[in-house]
């Protein structure tokens, strides 16, 4: 502070500004007065609280002298810290560059070794303290992860995979290194996809019976996307597309998917054969027709399409 | 506290303006001396030579169309040659002429007025209303502008305030002001979207509000989309059918045009409540050669209006999508959705908004008054130490400098919270370049001349060296008042130049392009990491091709002098390319790309001939 300068800012606020100015080079967390690893919500609210005090507008029209530059520098620094820590991408990059700032779930806060003898009173106080600790956002993370896993398992047991999936997803975000979460997530993702795929297929069947081909097609596409081995959905999609006179390549794509997922189904082979035949790929078509004939010589589709065309 | 000098907030609108002030801790609209909350933003020169402002000017518009100015906001800070001003000229009945700096002037009687002067007349009227209310002089004001106004338009609005005898404490964005008024005194906590469709402009903003702090996350809009455009659609419809029936183009008749405008606006407003509206304009045209006068009588249904304006509504929604995307917010993350501006009374608009945001808009705000109330809140926050309100505003458009090749290097992207400053290193773009020109641009276009030129300056006395070797720090700084300063500093000599950006001289796009072309030799070169990497990759691919061709060439030109010579030169070129690839100078990399490309061309030519 320059001597003899008149500055129209209360003494204590001046001191706060100087204290923040001294922290300009500190980490983004420290500048905002937060512990490393503070969540983006915590960052935002700390930033807002500091804005209320240090936004240059709070000093509008006042005599500021050398504090004008200080306030500007301090506030720009606060904005920078907030920008980095509340933007998922920038935050990740910053934490990758400064791994020490991630903030950890365990370790740091473990209570020191207990004294040999404890009175009941002390015991109760400790319990209370532990509970408070567990509720603390950083420490709570580990216990919350565990909680999510337990809940997710209960849902898995009831075959409610989409619930389980979202819980595990949250758990994975809270604790990306947890191997159990990873394994469960992988498994549930598959089950969830195939469950969703089945539901979509059922919906599509209903829609077809109502004559709504467009919506049915949407559902079937979703079904195939969710689970590429849902051959029934792929087959039905191909049939509807054929009926609508869609692009041959797309129809053939679905027919191929159906055959890939269930190579032993006669009707899939026949359909694919027909499509390939129509597209001029006679040799490939022949292969599928022959396979169909071998698999089910008496299948109605074979009788209808193959025997007529393929007199062997 | 009652002794504090009164400060006012002004919503200077396209069609109407409102003034408000903080009264006993509540923002309150100040009625004008005609006891109305809204003052039409209309200025006219009466037949008797008197200047009229507000309601009285609006009332005489029909009988005095060529000397009545409305919608001046659409022209403020615009260039005469801009597409927007030229379009406006087609529908506005008053006469516009070009000013000295390609700014717009309006001819009223003998005199030409700058648009800021005309807006100043409206502001002076509002100031007088406030003074009548307080019984004391009022000097300080916060004025609102559409969020998407560029620096030129903001400066011109500030100028208007100054001409009207006001100290403009701050120019703030209309949707931000609306959010301030909405959130003031409430314990709102969460994200809020403001959809502001006014008479001439459209804005959307997303804010994060937490007890007194109003943090703007993203803002966007279109300065040429509003109620006037809806009116024009109706006018076109009326005029077109009338021409078909009677073979008369009503647009050529200024008085008829003014009557059509009034009738269209009236019908549009009626259709917000009713399903049908009558347009009845008797004696709208009298044939030149005498004969019976023509009347215009039509029924406009709500469905027809919606059909005429469907694309305008769709446009607002697509802008919403964009802004939410920029804010990284989903419609479901929003706590509240606020509608502002008279046009948000149109059922079709409400319906579209509801559908997009998947919620009912907040009903607690008055769409015409909320902006002025918010301006009053901010005016109070800036002058009252006890205020709890802090506004964290953002830059509405990106800022950057022109670089070699006619492109922009953006230093401050849009939606950056102010105050902020950014420094980036640039290089000279030519050998022996002793001068660089820093051209400050505002806008989102990649190509320099599609942006707005805010200002320019020259840094001289650079060391003469190969291109790319001299390094210059360019710093952009925006303070919390939104004032932009730019400085450039030669790293070696410490030489420095800077400007504070004020309104530009008013250059047209063509002029700007011409200037940029002329000064191509003086521009900077971006030392952008991405660009360098991209060019290096290009160079590597070319080098690999040369390396592959080289043995083939040696084989086919075996023994010949030419073959040996070419191979030696190519090896040397490859060595220098490798050096460039390991270095950091973009200029060198580009140079090597040139050499490699030429070498490949030569090799291929030789090989072809031999085959």
């Amino acid at each position: 502070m320059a001597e003899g300068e008149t500055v129209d800012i209360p003494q204590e606020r001046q001191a706060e500004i100087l204290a923040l100015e001294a922290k300009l080079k500190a980490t983004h967390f420290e500048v905002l007065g937060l512990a490393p690893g503070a969540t983006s919500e915590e960052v935002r609210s700390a930033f807002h609280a500091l804005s209320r005090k240090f936004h240059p507008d709070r000093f509008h029209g006042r005599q500021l002298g050398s504090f004008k530059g200080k306030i500007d520098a301090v506030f720009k620094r606060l904005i920078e810290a907030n920008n980095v820590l509340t933007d998922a991408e920038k935050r990740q990059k910053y934490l990758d560059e400064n791994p020490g700032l991630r903030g950890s779930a365990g370790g740091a806060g473990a209570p020191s070794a207990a004294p040999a003898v404890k009175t009941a009173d002390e015991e109760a106080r400790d319990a209370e303290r532990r509970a408070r600790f567990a509720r603390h956002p950083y420490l709570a993370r580990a216990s919350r992860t565990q909680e999510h896993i337990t809940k997710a398992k209960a849902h898995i047991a009831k075959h409610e995979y989409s619930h389980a999936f979202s819980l595990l997803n949250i758990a994975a975000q809270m604790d990306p290194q947890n191997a159990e979460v990873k394994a469960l997530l992988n498994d549930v993702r598959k089950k969830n996809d195939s469950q969703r795929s089945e539901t979509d297929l059922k919906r599509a069947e209903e829609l077809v019976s109502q004559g709504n081909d467009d919506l049915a097609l949407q559902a079937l596409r979703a079904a195939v996307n969710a689970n590429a081995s849902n051959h029934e959905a792929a087959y039905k999609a191909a049939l509807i597309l054929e009926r609508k006179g869609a692009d041959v390549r797309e129809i053939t794509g679905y027919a191929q998917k159906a055959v890939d997922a269930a190579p032993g189904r006669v009707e899939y082979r026949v359909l694919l054969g027909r499509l390939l035949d129509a597209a001029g790929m006679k040799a490939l078509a022949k292969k599928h027709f022959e396979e169909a004939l071998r698999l089910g010589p008496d299948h109605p589709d074979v009788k209808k399409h193959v025997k007529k065309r393929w007199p062997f | 506290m009652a002794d504090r000098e009164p400060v006012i907030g002004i919503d200077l609108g396209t069609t109407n303006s409102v003034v408000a002030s903080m009264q006993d801790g509540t923002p309150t609209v100040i009625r004008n001396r005609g006891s109305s909350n809204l003052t039409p933003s209309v200025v006219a020169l009466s037949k008797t030579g008197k200047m009229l402002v507000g309601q009285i000017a609006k009332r005489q518009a029909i009988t005095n169309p060529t000397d009545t100015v409305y919608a001046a906001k659409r022209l403020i800070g615009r260039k005469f040659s801009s597409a927007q001003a030229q379009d406006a000229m087609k529908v506005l009945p008053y006469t516009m002429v070009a000013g000295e700096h390609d700014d717009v002037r309006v001819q009223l009687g003998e005199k030409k007025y700058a648009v800021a002067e005309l807006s100043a007349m409206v502001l002076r009227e509002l100031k007088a209303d406030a003074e009548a209310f307080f019984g004391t002089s009022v000097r300080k004001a916060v004025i609102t502008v559409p969020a998407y106004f560029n620096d030129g338009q903001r400066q011109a609005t500030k100028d208007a305030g100054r001409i009207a005898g006001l100290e403009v404490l701050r120019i703030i964005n209309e949707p931000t002001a609306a959010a301030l008024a909405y959130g003031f005194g409430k314990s709102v906590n969460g994200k809020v979207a403001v959809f502001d469709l006014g008479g001439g402009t459209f804005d959307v903003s997303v804010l994060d509000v937490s007890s007194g702090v109003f943090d703007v996350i993203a803002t966007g809009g279109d300065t040429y989309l509003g109620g006037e455009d809806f009116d024009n659609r109706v006018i076109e419809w009326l005029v077109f059918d009338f021409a078909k029936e009677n073979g008369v183009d009503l647009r050529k008749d200024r008085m008829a045009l003014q009557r059509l405008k009034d009738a269209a606006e009236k019908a549009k407003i009626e259709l917000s409540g009713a399903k049908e509206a009558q347009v009845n304009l008797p004696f709208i045209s009298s044939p030149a050669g005498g004969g019976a006068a023509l009347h215009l009588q039509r029924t406009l249904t709500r469905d027809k209006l919606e059909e005429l304006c469907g694309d305008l509504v769709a446009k607002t929604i697509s802008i919403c999508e964009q802004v939410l995307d920029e804010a990284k917010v989903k419609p479901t993350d929003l706590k509240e959705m606020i509608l502002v501006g008279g046009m948000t009374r149109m059922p079709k608009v409400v319906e579209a908004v509801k559908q997009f945001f998947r919620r009912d808009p907040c009903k607690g705000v008055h769409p015409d008054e909320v902006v002025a109330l918010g301006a009053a809140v901010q005016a109070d926050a800036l002058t009252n130490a006890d205020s709890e309100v802090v506004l964290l505003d953002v830059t509405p458009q990106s800022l950057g400098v022109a670089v070699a090749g006619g492109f922009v290097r953006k230093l401050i992207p849009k939606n950056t919270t102010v105050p902020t400053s950014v420094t980036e290193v640039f290089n000279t773009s030519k050998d022996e370049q002793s001068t660089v020109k820093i051209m400050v641009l505002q806008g989102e276009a990649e190509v320099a001349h599609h942006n707005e030129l805010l200002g320019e300056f020259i840094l001289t006395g650079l060391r003469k060296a190969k291109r790319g070797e001299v390094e210059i720090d360019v710093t952009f700084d925006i303070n919390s008042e939104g004032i932009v300063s730019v400085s450039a500093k030669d790293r070696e000599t410490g030489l420095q130049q800077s400007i504070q950006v004020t309104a530009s001289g008013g250059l047209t796009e063509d002029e700007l392009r011409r200037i940029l072309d002329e000064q191509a030799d003086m521009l900077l070169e971006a030392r952008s990491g991405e660009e360098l990497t991209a060019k290096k990759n290009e160079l590597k691919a070319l080098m690999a091709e040369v390396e592959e061709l080289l043995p083939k060439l040696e084989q086919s030109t075996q023994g010949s002098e030419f073959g040996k010579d070419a191979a030696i030169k190519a090896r040397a070129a490859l060595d220098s390319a490798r050096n460039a690839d390991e270095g950091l100078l973009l200029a060198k990399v580009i140079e090597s790309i040139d050499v490699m490309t030429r070498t490949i061309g030569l090799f291929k030519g030789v090989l072809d001939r031999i085959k």
Side-chain angles (χ1 to χ4, degrees):
Chain A
M1 207 182 327
E3 274 311 312
E5 187 179 57
T6 30
V7 175
D8 182 15
I9 304 175
Q11 276 299 330
E12 56 188 283
R13 189 57 54 88
Q14 286 190 18
E16 285 174 308
I17 292 167
L18 292 173
L20 271 173
E21 195 197 19
K23 281 207 287 186
L24 285 182
K25 293 228 154 54
T27 71
H28 292 324
F29 291 109
E30 276 176 70
V31 164
L32 294 167
L34 293 165
T39 65
S40 118
E41 281 307 305
E42 288 163 331
V43 168
R44 200 132 192 110
S45 77
F47 172 62
H48 283 170
L50 289 164
S51 299
R52 231 168 269 139
K53 281 181 162 180
F54 301 109
H55 192 289
D57 280 0
R58 304 303 296 150
F59 310 95
H60 188 271
R62 294 198 209 180
Q63 177 108 32
L64 300 177
S66 64
F67 273 85
K68 187 171 169 41
K70 295 189 200 329
I71 292 165
D72 260 7
V74 161
F75 196 65
K76 278 180 199 160
R77 181 70 187 89
L78 294 175
I79 289 179
E80 188 199 1
N82 174 62
N83 282 350
V84 172
L85 297 180
T86 53
D87 181 292
E89 240 169 72
K90 288 183 196 153
R91 181 185 169 106
Q92 192 55 49
K93 191 164 167 254
Y94 179 68
L95 292 181
D96 287 347
E97 284 161 9
N98 304 282
L101 299 178
R102 269 178 216 284
S104 56
S112 55
V117 189
K118 272 185 185 173
T119 63
D121 206 27
E122 276 172 346
E123 201 87 64
R125 213 178 305 144
D126 271 359
E128 195 261 342
R129 206 176 290 139
R130 267 196 297 275
R132 191 144 36 89
F133 250 74
R135 282 198 304 274
H136 191 276
Y138 311 135
L139 299 177
R141 199 172 291 171
S143 68
R144 262 187 302 173
T145 310
Q146 210 47 54
E147 220 173 277
H148 282 317
I149 295 175
T150 319
K151 275 192 204 156
K153 280 182 179 160
H155 282 299
I156 294 174
K158 284 188 266 174
H159 301 290
E160 290 163 354
Y161 297 116
S162 73
H163 281 121
F165 182 65
S166 53
L167 281 168
L168 288 169
N169 233 335
I170 298 169
Q173 273 164 19
M174 288 195 290
D175 189 359
Q177 308 306 332
N178 192 320
E180 188 187 8
V181 175
K182 271 188 200 162
L184 276 171
L185 191 60
N186 227 340
D187 186 39
V188 168
R189 182 180 290 130
K190 276 188 212 133
K191 284 186 173 141
N192 182 30
D193 282 348
S194 74
Q195 194 179 41
R196 246 180 40 217
S197 185
E198 280 312 312
T199 331
D200 282 334
L201 176 61
K202 280 204 193 88
R203 194 157 57 87
E205 280 163 356
E206 254 168 57
L207 286 162
V208 170
S209 69
Q210 290 161 13
N212 195 340
D213 274 3
D214 287 334
L215 281 181
L217 192 57
Q218 248 177 40
L220 289 169
R221 280 198 173 118
V224 177
N225 276 342
N227 177 11
S229 53
N230 190 338
H231 47 83
E232 234 180 302
Y235 177 64
K236 290 201 159 115
L239 288 181
I240 295 182
L241 283 164
E242 193 188 22
R243 203 149 66 218
K244 287 164 67 91
D247 184 3
V248 184
R249 271 168 304 182
E250 197 187 355
I251 312 175
T252 317
Y254 278 107
Q256 184 72 54
K257 271 188 192 146
V259 172
D260 289 348
R265 291 286 285 266
V266 181
E267 64 268 39
Y268 300 174
R269 293 271 183 188
V270 175
L271 174 66
L272 184 57
R274 272 201 296 118
L275 290 165
L276 291 167
D277 187 33
M281 288 177 268
K282 305 279 182 206
L284 270 177
K286 186 174 172 220
K287 207 184 87 202
H288 287 291
F289 282 142
E290 278 171 357
E291 190 59 27
L293 198 62
R294 190 184 64 76
L295 286 165
D298 298 325
H299 193 284
D301 275 6
V302 173
K303 279 186 182 147
K304 191 170 154 206
H305 293 289
V306 180
K307 295 209 165 153
K308 186 164 59 176
R309 207 170 320 184
W310 230 265
F312 30 66
Chain B
M1 231 171 64
D3 295 321
R4 252 175 351 111
E5 185 189 347
V7 287
I8 53 176
I10 295 176
D11 170 12
L12 181 61
T14 306
T15 37
N16 290 301
S17 296
V18 183
V19 56
S21 173
M22 206 65 135
Q23 307 280 319
D24 301 325
T26 318
T28 316
V29 170
I30 298 172
R31 291 188 159 195
N32 63 24
R33 284 155 293 167
S35 20
S36 161
N37 284 355
L38 306 185
T39 301
S41 308
V42 181
V43 174
L45 179 69
S46 76
K47 299 268 190 272
T48 56
K50 233 184 117 190
M51 266 311 198
L52 307 174
V53 181
Q55 191 59 46
I56 181 170
K58 188 179 184 183
R59 216 174 291 139
Q60 55 85 64
I62 288 179
T63 55
N64 184 23
T66 53
D67 281 338
T68 303
V69 184
Y70 61 88
K73 190 176 180 178
R74 299 198 121 183
L75 305 171
I76 200 161
R78 295 239 184 237
K79 290 157 191 165
F80 183 76
S81 56
S82 68
Q84 290 90 344
Q86 289 298 318
D87 281 353
M89 214 148 81
K90 287 183 204 132
V91 291
L92 296 173
Y94 48 88
T95 311
M96 289 154 56
V97 291
E100 254 171 61
H101 300 288
D102 191 35
D103 52 334
V104 179
R105 300 282 162 117
V106 177
Q107 180 97 41
L108 290 180
E110 297 293 297
K111 234 186 124 186
K112 296 187 185 85
Y113 292 89
V115 180
E117 276 180 275
L118 297 165
S119 295
M121 292 179 198
V122 177
L123 290 174
R124 201 177 291 132
E125 185 75 6
L126 298 169
K127 177 174 179 262
D129 286 331
E131 286 173 346
F133 174 82
F134 288 112
T136 149
S137 77
V138 173
R139 290 181 301 131
K140 292 179 176 172
V142 167
I143 304 178
T144 62
V145 295
Y148 216 60
F149 256 25
N150 65 29
D151 201 67
Q153 291 166 302
R154 283 164 201 266
Q155 294 287 355
T157 306
K158 229 173 175 173
D159 289 346
R162 217 169 299 136
I163 297 169
L166 286 166
E167 181 195 332
V168 181
L169 296 173
R170 185 69 51 87
I171 297 281
I172 64 168
N173 297 329
E174 285 159 10
T176 309
L180 279 173
Y182 156 81
F184 180 76
K186 289 195 200 98
S187 53
V188 188
N189 245 321
K191 297 198 173 75
V192 175
V194 182
F195 179 102
D196 178 359
L197 186 57
T201 54
F202 172 64
D203 279 324
V204 194
S205 291
V206 178
L207 292 97
D208 190 350
V209 183
S210 71
S211 38
V213 179
F214 295 80
D215 186 355
V216 182
I217 307 176
T219 190
D222 186 336
T223 42
Y224 236 74
L225 175 61
E228 297 261 338
D229 298 287
F230 288 71
D231 297 349
N232 289 338
R233 290 291 164 85
V234 177
I235 295 174
E236 273 165 33
W237 176 71
L238 291 170
V239 166
F240 183 76
D241 283 4
F242 191 82
K244 229 171 31 186
E245 275 171 35
N246 304 297
V248 178
D249 185 355
L250 292 174
R251 281 173 303 186
K252 297 215 171 92
D253 178 350
R254 304 227 144 175
M255 179 143 10
L257 189 58
Q258 183 62 46
R259 287 180 66 193
L260 278 167
K261 187 190 136 42
D262 283 353
E265 189 187 348
K266 208 173 125 236
K268 176 191 77 182
I269 291 169
E270 257 179 62
L271 288 175
S272 293
K275 286 273 183 202
E276 261 185 32
Q278 299 296 328
V279 180
N280 209 340
L281 295 167
F283 304 102
I284 187 81
S285 167
S286 36
L294 298 169
H295 315 296
L296 190 155
Q297 204 162 11
R298 299 287 314 260
T299 303
L300 179 62
T301 62
R302 191 187 279 180
D303 288 346
K304 186 71 199 173
L305 177 70
E306 288 175 358
E307 181 195 317
L308 292 171
C309 305
D311 61 313
L312 298 175
V313 177
K315 201 168 166 195
T316 63
I317 297 299
S318 84
I319 294 172
C320 288
E321 257 170 33
Q322 212 180 310
V323 171
L324 255 56
D325 205 46
E326 277 160 18
K328 294 179 184 155
V329 167
K330 292 191 292 295
T332 44
D333 296 339
L334 296 170
K335 187 131 200 170
E336 193 77 79
M337 154 84 229
I338 308 167
L339 292 183
V340 183
M343 274 315 297
T344 57
R345 292 201 179 87
M346 184 171 172
K348 176 83 181 169
V349 173
V350 178
E351 185 195 316
V353 167
K354 260 192 194 170
Q355 207 174 10
F356 176 72
F357 288 96
R358 282 177 242 152
R359 71 180 61 235
D360 281 329
C362 159
K363 299 214 166 54
V365 297
H366 192 299
D368 294 325
E369 294 168 4
V370 63
V371 169
L373 296 175
V377 170
Q378 175 68 355
D380 181 66
L382 291 176
T383 52
N384 179 357
D386 301 331
S387 170
E388 296 278 293
V389 173
V390 176
L391 173 58
L392 295 163
D393 217 340
V394 297
T395 53
Q397 294 179 34
S398 303
L399 288 170
V401 293
V403 292
F407 296 103
V408 185
R409 176 80 194 153
K410 284 178 189 158
L411 270 81
I412 299 183
K414 69 187 283 194
N415 291 327
T416 301
T417 308
V418 292
T420 184
S421 53
V422 173
T423 301
E424 209 170 286
V425 189
F426 289 82
N427 297 121
T428 46
S429 64
K430 289 273 181 282
D431 290 344
E432 308 282 293
Q433 185 178 352
S434 63
T435 303
V436 291
K437 178 147 212 165
I438 312 287
M439 305 188 86
V440 182
L441 300 169
Q442 180 171 44
E444 306 313 314
E446 295 282 328
V447 179
H449 65 261
H450 288 152
N451 294 287
E452 194 89 11
L453 177 66
L454 292 187
E456 51 188 333
F457 63 98
I458 286 174
L459 183 65
T460 52
L462 304 177
R463 174 171 67 94
K464 296 216 168 176
K466 288 227 173 267
R467 78 176 191 188
E469 284 183 8
V470 177
E471 291 183 319
I472 295 140
D473 281 339
V474 177
T475 303
F476 273 54
D477 186 279
I478 309 181
N479 68 10
S480 65
E481 321 213 351
I483 293 166
V484 180
S485 354
V486 180
S487 64
K489 185 173 150 198
D490 181 349
R491 279 195 161 183
E492 243 167 83
T493 63
L495 278 175
Q496 194 167 352
Q497 274 297 327
S498 64
I499 51 161
Q500 201 172 76
V501 174
T502 47
S504 74
L507 292 171
T508 65
E509 204 176 301
D510 282 339
E511 272 177 310
L512 183 52
R513 189 186 333 200
R514 185 174 51 74
I515 293 170
L516 284 166
D517 283 347
E518 282 170 10
Q519 292 167 344
D521 290 351
M522 283 163 66
L523 292 175
L524 292 165
E525 184 154 79
R527 200 181 64 173
S528 143
E530 287 154 57
E531 204 179 342
L532 191 64
T533 319
K535 289 285 176 199
K536 277 189 177 176
N537 286 338
E538 198 180 327
L539 179 61
K540 280 192 194 108
L542 292 169
M543 282 162 64
E545 203 174 336
V546 172
E547 274 163 6
E548 197 189 310
L549 285 171
L550 195 55
K552 280 190 206 159
L553 183 98
E554 279 178 314
Q555 214 174 25
S556 16
T557 59
Q558 241 163 16
S560 82
E561 270 310 302
F562 167 77
K564 273 184 204 157
D565 190 43
I568 291 169
K569 278 192 179 153
R571 290 229 161 76
L574 271 174
D575 279 343
S576 102
R578 252 175 237 124
N579 274 335
D581 185 35
E582 279 156 19
L584 277 172
L585 291 177
L586 184 61
K588 283 247 156 42
V589 176
I590 293 173
E591 205 179 287
S592 291
I593 288 177
D594 267 7
V595 176
M596 288 294 118
T597 316
R598 264 184 281 131
T599 309
I600 292 170
L602 181 78
F603 280 13
K604 283 192 173 153
V606 172
L607 288 171
D608 276 354
R609 241 175 297 144
I610 289 168
K611 261 183 230 161

